[in-house]
Amino acid sequence: MAEPLNISLIGGGTVGGGVAQILLQHPERIATRAGRPVHIKRVVVRDPHKPRPTIPKELVSTDIAAAIRDPQVHVVVELMGGTGLAKQVVLDSLAAGKHVVTANKALLAEHGPEIFEAARKHERSVGFEASVAGGIPIIRALAESLAGNQITAIQGILNGTSNFILTAMADRGVSYSDALAEAQRLGYAEADPTLDVDGSDAAHKLAILVQIAFGVTVPVNEIERFGIAGLNAMDLRFAHELGYTIKLLAEAWLDGKEVALHVAPVLLRRTDMLAQVRGAFNAVQVVGDAVGEIMFQGAGAGALPTASSVVADIIDLAVGRAQRTFQAMKLWAPHELGFRQRPSEGVRSRFFLRVLVQDKSGMLADVARVLADQGISIASVIQHEAVEEHQGDVVPLVIMTHYAETGRFRSAVSKINSLTGVVPPGVFYSVDD
Ligand code: NAP
Ligand code: HSE
């Protein structure tokens, strides 16, 4: 058998523990696939006394520098998270001549250009399959299997925690905060779960996918994002009544030379394949000019599904494939396709609007007038006589529009918010039909 591939794990938490579990429980399988044994030499953590059922105690330390410097180590696997120390770990590892594997989407979305330039300079590679959609091999699919296509659209459920919360609220009537606590307990959420529920984690992942699919570097703070933190159970009920469900979607599509992209809760018809993706599962629908529409689905978070992708990257390095494909991909480098980001205001969509209004004559007419003034046509209206959402004399009024320009619709909503008899803010979501 050939010389082993030695790795240091920086991080022995949810994902690090999963990677150790796969590598230590199945050494023969891994060695066969990799053509050589894969050995974990070191695992670096913050607290060496924490119980870690899948990691032998003698591997554990708190010494990051030693784990990077160790001359026997070929690959540093960064699974600590964050964008400060983690960035330093990655850059130091590349400078020390180590290949890097990471699941850290925030790091790549924010510092991709610097990290990939350093990797090219040191002739090392960065594997990041686990950074988007957990166990789904979407990075390889886009970068390798679909390389003959021009991708024209990507639509994905990319955050397992949000999808878990939305499913728990819609299917089991669980409250938002209980569902989030459950997702944290199951190891799906980020160390700071705000990133999950405010759309930032999905935006990080979308920035990575857009880089691969369109060669566009979008500064992550320029990706418009709306999360699920403000989502009210009554909106899920109204959506359901109209034949829809609400999903947090990350979307990017090509329009001429422009790429429009955003992260937002969107109403999807309940028969849509993405609408049926439940719990912490992720799904990515891709349209390519040769392949047509193709859909990937699987566990998007959690120890073993994420570790499955990390281990695939490690095996690719052991075999020697990763080094070649990494150099060929030229990610976060000047590109020739010439696509640029498109502002969201001009995007046309249908909208769901829910506004709390006083139950008195003329309110519906006032709201409809503002929409009409912006040239926005109403498709349907719901106002129930007696429902649990009624708060004294205030009732929810739900309006579905026909297609309208986002900018016009948003300016109509801000006018509606200032109408007498309206309790602001009106809540609105795009509708994908
Ligand atoms: P986690 O459970 O919080 O584990 C983080 C690990 O890093 C812990 O072992 C922690 O040590 C260690 N660590 C943190 N700061 C450190 C420091 N300053 N020095 C030394 N060790 C330090 O996080 P995770 O869920 O495994 O996520 C790791 C990465 O994978 C993140 O970038 C995350 O976004 C990404 N990711 C996670 C998932 C998922 O489902 N969880 C899926 C895809 C990608 P202690 O154990 O001693 O605290
Ligand atoms: N917190 C992330 C999620 C982990 O819930 O999707 C997977 O990237």
Side-chain angles (χ1 to χ4, degrees):
M1 186 62 87
E3 190 200 339
L5 181 90
N6 295 325
I7 66 172
S8 284
L9 294 183
I10 314 291
T14 303
V15 184
V19 171
Q21 184 176 340
I22 297 177
L23 292 179
L24 296 173
Q25 285 185 357
H26 307 288
E28 292 84 13
R29 179 205 298 170
I30 302 299
T32 305
R33 308 261 163 87
R36 54 205 278 207
V38 174
H39 290 163
I40 303 178
K41 291 278 290 177
R42 296 162 180 269
V43 181
V44 180
V45 298
R46 207 166 15 202
D47 174 3
H49 306 296
K50 237 187 226 177
R52 302 176 199 275
T54 62
I55 303 176
K57 214 166 174 20
E58 63 275 15
L59 297 180
V60 174
S61 82
T62 57
D63 193 342
I64 295 180
I68 293 174
R69 263 198 327 261
D70 186 337
Q72 294 187 328
V73 164
H74 307 104
V75 181
V76 172
V77 183
E78 183 280 304
L79 299 171
M80 66 192 300
T83 55
L85 186 53
K87 178 183 168 197
Q88 209 48 54
V89 164
V90 167
L91 292 176
D92 289 352
S93 301
L94 293 169
K98 316 297 182 187
H99 296 290
V100 167
V101 172
T102 180
N104 193 334
K105 52 273 164 151
L107 179 64
L108 296 182
E110 286 176 23
H111 302 291
E114 192 179 343
I115 288 170
F116 280 65
E117 194 189 322
R120 281 188 283 268
K121 178 172 143 204
H122 297 293
E123 296 184 343
R124 291 295 175 268
S125 69
V126 180
F128 55 102
E129 183 62 72
S131 66
V132 181
I136 302 175
I138 188 65
I139 303 293
R140 264 183 199 70
L142 285 175
E144 298 175 30
S145 317
L146 299 173
N149 289 258
Q150 175 52 60
I151 303 303
T152 55
I154 297 173
Q155 195 180 32
I157 293 175
L158 298 182
N159 184 264
T161 301
S162 304
N163 204 52
F164 180 88
I165 295 171
L166 290 175
T167 311
M169 287 172 76
D171 291 3
R172 293 189 274 135
V174 175
S175 75
Y176 171 86
S177 53
D178 285 352
L180 173 57
E182 208 177 330
Q184 288 179 289
R185 226 175 15 255
L186 291 167
Y188 303 145
E190 295 302 300
D192 172 6
T194 315
L195 296 173
D196 292 296
V197 297
D198 76 357
S200 295
D201 178 72
H204 291 146
K205 292 164 176 167
L206 188 61
I208 295 171
L209 295 185
V210 159
Q211 172 61 221
I212 301 172
F214 306 112
V216 179
T217 300
V218 184
V220 79
N221 54 7
E222 285 180 20
I223 300 182
E224 189 169 65
R225 77 202 64 165
F226 300 95
I228 61 159
L231 194 89
N232 193 307
M234 86 168 107
D235 295 321
L236 283 167
R237 284 195 291 274
F238 280 122
H240 201 263
E241 183 177 339
L242 288 158
Y244 295 85
T245 191
I246 300 181
K247 293 288 185 190
L248 184 72
L249 291 190
E251 301 182 285
W253 63 97
L254 205 53
D255 191 352
K257 280 285 184 188
E258 292 188 324
V259 179
L261 70 167
H262 72 156
V263 174
V266 169
L267 267 75
L268 289 175
R269 284 213 183 267
R270 291 216 304 278
T271 48
D272 191 297
M273 279 199 290
L274 285 174
Q276 288 159 38
V277 175
R278 313 190 104 68
F281 273 59
N282 280 191
V284 192
Q285 229 167 38
V286 176
V287 183
D289 61 355
V291 74
E293 192 173 298
I294 182 166
M295 168 132 164
F296 304 82
Q297 192 190 338
L304 285 176
T306 312
S308 160
S309 291
V310 173
V311 171
D313 279 346
I314 295 170
I315 291 176
D316 256 10
L317 277 165
V319 171
R321 280 191 296 258
Q323 294 83 331
R324 299 170 73 97
T325 47
F326 179 78
Q327 295 298 334
M329 279 202 289
K330 295 192 177 61
L331 292 175
W332 281 284
H335 57 86
E336 291 149 23
L337 296 174
F339 296 132
R340 57 188 180 276
Q341 190 182 351
R342 177 179 182 180
S344 62
E345 295 290 294
V347 172
R348 288 177 66 77
S349 174
R350 293 187 64 208
F351 291 96
F352 164 104
L353 169 66
R354 190 259 303 156
V355 60
L356 294 177
V357 297
Q358 278 176 1
D359 196 5
K360 60 176 192 182
S361 64
M363 281 315 307
L364 174 57
D366 288 351
V367 171
R369 169 62 42 216
V370 175
L371 290 169
D373 287 347
Q374 290 293 336
I376 297 165
S377 162
I378 293 174
S380 66
V381 177
I382 302 177
Q383 186 186 322
H384 293 305
E385 273 192 33
V387 286
E388 55 200 274
E389 286 86 16
H390 283 217
Q391 299 156 17
D393 65 342
V394 173
V395 296
L397 173 66
V398 172
I399 292 177
M400 293 284 272
T401 74
H402 288 296
Y403 276 88
E405 232 174 55
T406 301
R408 280 179 169 271
F409 179 77
R410 286 180 186 168
S411 88
V413 174
S414 56
K415 289 196 174 88
I416 288 169
N417 282 339
S418 58
L419 287 174
T420 309
V422 165
V423 182
V427 170
F428 60 91
Y429 302 110
S430 298
V431 179
D432 269 17
D433 267 319

